[in-house]
Amino acid sequence: MRKSLLRMTLRQLQVFRAVCEHRSYSRAAETMALTQPAVSLQIRQLEEQVGLPLFEYVGRKLYLTEAAESLLETSADIFDRLESLDMNLSTLEGSLRGELRLAAASSVQYVLPHLLAAFRQRYPQVTFRLDVTSRAQIIQRLADNRDDLVIMGLVPADRALEFFPFLNNPIVAVVRPDHPLARQSQIPLARLEEEMVLQRESGSGIRKACDEFLQLKRVHLGQTMQLGSTEALVQGAIAGLGVALVPGHAAAAWIRQGELVCLNISELPLKRSWCAVHARGKRLSPVAEAFLAFLREEKALIRQLAEPFEPSPAIQ
């Protein structure tokens, strides 16, 4: 029999959310510095108040019931509102305080921490949680409303999203200095059809942008090698595996050190932008609002921070 939901505690909801995240009582206990029996007790008491089971085992795997899915969504709203209240109160006190939760595509990791450092100089009581992950996971996180903002390059057009482009993300072709194309100028894009081209995996934002661009230009790559991260593409080019199509920010340090050369291909770089993205209609926290305002208002500063991570114009 269901008891009053008003009797549930924030602590019970915290334990419940930890079990949902880890799909494990024991792992939830570890993260919350509790014993497993203590976690089980909190969940059992919560189930008594809900009047329905929250978890079920199929084999050895823990699954959320429909009641748990509903409670998880409601609890997320409760904690978001409490966090927003805390931030609003700190704003009324004359300071901005709170955590900015971000998810970002892997290739923006070279620049984003420097932007966060500049933002924190303005608001020293703000902290960050940054998860660097794949495009597919970022899209799923948007659907699950797990972050304040996500930073990505190619924003899905089939979803209700708000986005703000704030930084150029040029995609370039790089090779090691002894590659036959390294000293050539005005190389036609079609020349890539004769080369081994290193690409990200299908589903990557960089791969999607490159595939669409090459298709538009009617360039059909003859030989390709798929590598699972931007860093692997850079290292593959340094090792001499072929021509790597990478974000300029990811390769800039290696270019400046002379370990890579940015090819002078007539129709590159492929110009894209990094965007700050959130679901349309999402209620942003004061910290997230302040970070968006920072991105809009400090374009000159952002450009200055990004310059060390961009290929030199002389070699493009």
Side-chain angles (χ1 to χ4, degrees):
M1 181 176 179
R2 182 165 63 86
K3 299 180 181 179
S4 172
L5 295 179
L6 294 177
R7 296 180 59 187
M8 68 175 59
T9 66
L10 291 177
R11 185 59 169 172
Q12 287 173 340
L13 290 178
Q14 287 176 323
V15 172
F16 165 71
R17 285 160 61 84
V19 175
C20 291
E21 180 180 357
H22 297 289
R23 296 294 197 275
S24 166
Y25 280 53
S26 59
R27 290 180 62 190
E30 290 175 8
T31 59
M32 299 202 68
L34 296 171
T35 64
Q36 187 169 333
V39 168
S40 299
L41 177 61
Q42 295 276 13
I43 297 300
R44 187 164 60 252
Q45 291 174 342
L46 194 55
E47 287 178 328
E48 289 175 359
Q49 293 170 63
V50 171
L52 293 166
L54 297 173
F55 302 102
E56 59 184 1
Y57 280 97
V58 177
R60 300 181 64 182
K61 194 168 183 180
L62 189 69
Y63 290 88
L64 277 65
T65 65
E66 188 174 347
E69 295 283 1
S70 180
L71 181 59
L72 183 61
E73 182 178 352
T74 301
S75 68
D77 185 58
I78 290 171
F79 283 101
D80 283 346
R81 286 175 179 270
L82 287 173
E83 184 176 3
S84 182
L85 172 63
D86 182 58
M87 292 181 189
N88 284 326
L89 291 174
S90 68
T91 302
L92 291 173
E93 292 172 350
S95 65
L96 184 67
R97 182 175 66 242
E99 182 183 61
L100 180 63
R101 297 168 298 180
L102 297 170
S106 59
S107 48
V108 78
Q109 64 184 306
Y110 302 93
V111 181
L112 187 56
H114 298 268
L115 301 184
L116 297 180
F119 179 70
R120 195 164 187 267
Q121 284 185 343
R122 181 177 300 181
Y123 302 109
Q125 295 188 67
V126 170
T127 59
F128 308 105
R129 189 204 68 198
L130 172 62
D131 290 318
V132 178
T133 186
S134 68
R135 172 182 169 81
Q137 290 174 323
I138 282 178
I139 292 174
Q140 184 60 53
R141 293 174 75 103
L142 275 169
D144 295 340
N145 194 30
R146 292 184 59 186
D147 309 285
D148 294 316
L149 298 166
V150 305
I151 309 299
M152 63 190 308
L154 205 59
V155 180
D158 60 345
R159 295 171 183 261
L161 301 172
E162 297 284 348
F163 62 94
F164 171 67
F166 66 91
L167 180 65
N168 289 335
N169 175 32
I171 298 177
V172 299
V174 296
V175 295
R176 60 188 290 166
D178 59 358
H179 191 280
L181 294 180
R183 298 186 179 277
Q184 296 186 26
S185 61
Q186 294 300 308
I187 304 167
L189 185 66
R191 182 69 171 77
L192 292 179
E193 295 179 336
E194 304 172 31
E195 300 295 326
M196 173 63 75
V197 178
L198 312 182
Q199 294 183 298
R200 283 289 301 270
E201 73 283 1
S202 297
S204 158
I206 298 169
R207 173 66 178 273
K208 184 174 175 60
C210 289
D211 285 351
E212 290 177 355
F213 175 68
L214 293 172
Q215 184 177 8
L216 179 65
K217 298 298 182 179
R218 297 183 179 179
V219 172
H220 305 284
L221 301 179
Q223 303 178 79
T224 61
M225 189 179 300
Q226 180 175 295
L227 300 177
S229 70
T230 302
E231 184 65 25
L233 291 180
V234 170
Q235 294 300 323
I238 292 173
L241 289 178
V243 180
L245 295 173
V246 297
H249 298 133
W254 305 102
I255 292 171
R256 296 182 190 282
Q257 292 170 15
E259 296 190 55
L260 286 176
V261 171
C262 184
L263 292 181
N264 191 347
I265 294 179
S266 55
E267 297 184 78
L268 291 179
L270 170 58
K271 295 183 179 179
R272 289 291 185 270
S273 296
W274 290 116
C275 301
V277 187
H278 62 84
R280 188 171 299 157
K282 176 181 174 68
R283 184 177 61 251
L284 295 179
S285 69
V287 170
E289 290 277 16
F291 186 65
L292 278 180
F294 168 79
L295 295 179
R296 291 190 179 100
E297 297 165 6
E298 300 294 339
K299 292 181 180 179
L301 173 61
I302 291 170
R303 175 64 184 174
Q304 181 181 358
L305 289 170
E307 279 179 357
F309 303 95
E310 293 184 356
S312 169
I315 57 176
Q316 286 186 1

